[in-house]
Amino acid sequence: MTEFADLWTTHRHVVRDVAYRVLGSVAEAEDVTQETYLRLLARDDDPHAAPLDDARAWLVTVASRLAIDRLRAHEHSRRAYVGPWLPEPIVTDDRILPEDRITLDDSVRMALLVVLEQLTPAERTAFLLHDVFDLDFDRIADVLGVSPAAARQSASRARRRVAAQGEARFTVDPAAARRLSERFAAAASDGDLEGLVAVLATDATGWFDSGGAYPGAPTEPVRGAEQVARQFLAGVGGLGLEFRVAEVNGEPGVVVRRRDRIVSVLALEFAGDRIATIHGVGNPAKLGHVR
């Protein structure tokens, strides 16, 4: 049992990391983590189970199967979703123990996760398992229930789609990005239309995921700096909201509060000295994990 506990302590973070990237949901990633733990516990209790040659690979394989099953089960509900479906945001909180946090790296940036949402479950999973988690195609094929050649093709198609979308690997100086976020938050607090337009790229795009919870919220992307700024202020004006800069999916973003309740999280994407894209998540069902 001590060996089992050490194994889980060492590798449980990768289980959560895989599940979040495949599903785009913090809550479901926690469920997959628990299910994977139970599978490992059952294996540990089985006197006939062979020793694990590669515990990490075994756990990633199990977690991936559980995650892709959930992803496939959700395909219909996601197609029927009101407005854009955006991944649940991760807001960094120092109160969360390091071992309980999802690892923040380039693969959790909102820009990439949004592109991954456009892929099939097989493409998304193959790409993540190979390019992010370094699994070989034999194991990926086992997860997907296909041949290694088919798994390789799925990863290749995903890679091309990601590249074609320009997945914004363009990086901005973190200090500059934070200053832009602070200017955005200040202008939003003041209801300053000109101030908002000034920090947005001319061709800025705004997305808002409300899941139908807010009547009148845009269900299509809003394009253009002034249009984005006007739509944004129309949605938040007069509500007594507080805008605070925070790290969202590893990059500067904004958390929107009303009194003690978080009502929205804005993931910002930067290009040069402007904000190019706003991915706003306001569906209450996607914010329950945000402290």
Side-chain angles (χ1 to χ4, degrees):
M1 184 60 73
T2 300
E3 182 180 348
F4 166 85
D6 291 343
L7 186 155
W8 181 247
T9 299
T10 300
H11 297 296
R12 67 174 176 172
H13 71 281
V14 77
V15 171
R16 189 182 294 108
D17 288 351
V18 168
Y20 173 73
R21 287 157 176 80
V22 172
L23 290 163
S25 168
V26 175
E28 290 207 273
E30 293 296 343
D31 289 343
V32 167
T33 301
Q34 181 65 22
E35 288 183 58
T36 304
Y37 172 82
L38 293 175
R39 299 282 181 95
L40 180 63
L41 185 61
R43 194 184 191 287
D44 186 62
D45 289 339
D46 182 357
H48 305 295
L52 285 176
D53 293 330
D54 188 337
R56 179 186 182 277
W58 186 89
L59 288 167
V60 169
T61 299
V62 171
S64 300
R65 285 177 182 155
L66 293 169
I68 197 171
D69 285 347
R70 285 173 175 256
L71 192 62
R72 286 168 171 161
H74 294 337
E75 282 190 284
H76 176 73
S77 61
R78 289 194 181 185
R79 284 196 297 269
Y81 194 80
V82 178
W85 195 100
L86 298 178
E88 293 179 11
I90 302 171
V91 179
T92 302
D93 191 322
D94 291 337
R95 292 171 294 180
I96 300 175
L97 296 174
E99 60 268 24
D100 292 330
R101 298 176 189 168
I102 292 170
T103 304
L104 298 176
D105 58 24
D106 194 57
S107 67
V108 298
R109 293 173 58 238
M110 189 64 74
L112 175 59
L113 293 179
V114 169
V115 173
L116 294 181
E117 286 298 326
Q118 302 170 27
L119 307 180
T120 67
E123 289 170 346
R124 178 176 184 153
T125 305
F127 172 80
L128 288 168
L129 293 185
H130 184 265
D131 287 35
V132 178
F133 293 99
D134 299 320
L135 253 66
D136 61 56
F137 284 112
D138 287 339
R139 283 193 177 271
I140 296 171
D142 188 33
V143 170
L144 300 178
V146 299
S147 68
R152 187 183 298 275
Q153 288 174 353
S154 290
S156 180
R157 284 195 300 270
R159 208 173 292 119
R160 288 196 298 270
R161 291 280 297 280
V162 168
Q165 291 286 337
E167 189 272 309
R169 287 190 179 273
F170 180 86
T171 56
V172 176
D173 173 66
R178 185 168 184 88
R179 286 194 296 271
L180 281 170
S181 302
E182 290 169 346
R183 289 173 59 193
F184 179 95
S189 296
D190 296 339
D192 180 2
L193 176 64
E194 291 185 3
L196 281 177
V197 172
V199 299
L200 295 173
T202 304
D203 58 350
T205 303
W207 302 77
F208 188 63
D209 176 347
S210 73
Y214 298 103
T219 57
E220 298 292 335
V222 181
R223 305 187 190 280
E226 186 164 343
Q227 291 86 344
V228 170
R230 287 187 181 280
Q231 178 66 56
F232 182 78
L233 290 180
V236 303
L239 298 179
L241 301 178
E242 175 192 357
F243 301 84
R244 184 179 300 174
V245 174
E247 187 178 63
V248 179
N249 285 65
E251 297 182 299
V254 175
V255 173
V256 185
R257 291 179 173 83
R258 187 178 185 186
R259 299 186 180 92
D260 293 329
R261 184 169 67 90
I262 293 174
V263 298
S264 184
V265 174
L266 310 178
L268 305 179
E269 186 179 326
F270 307 90
D273 59 352
R274 293 289 187 274
I275 295 169
T277 306
I278 302 171
H279 287 115
V281 180
N283 183 347
K286 294 187 177 185
L287 300 175
H289 65 282
V290 182
R291 296 174 185 267

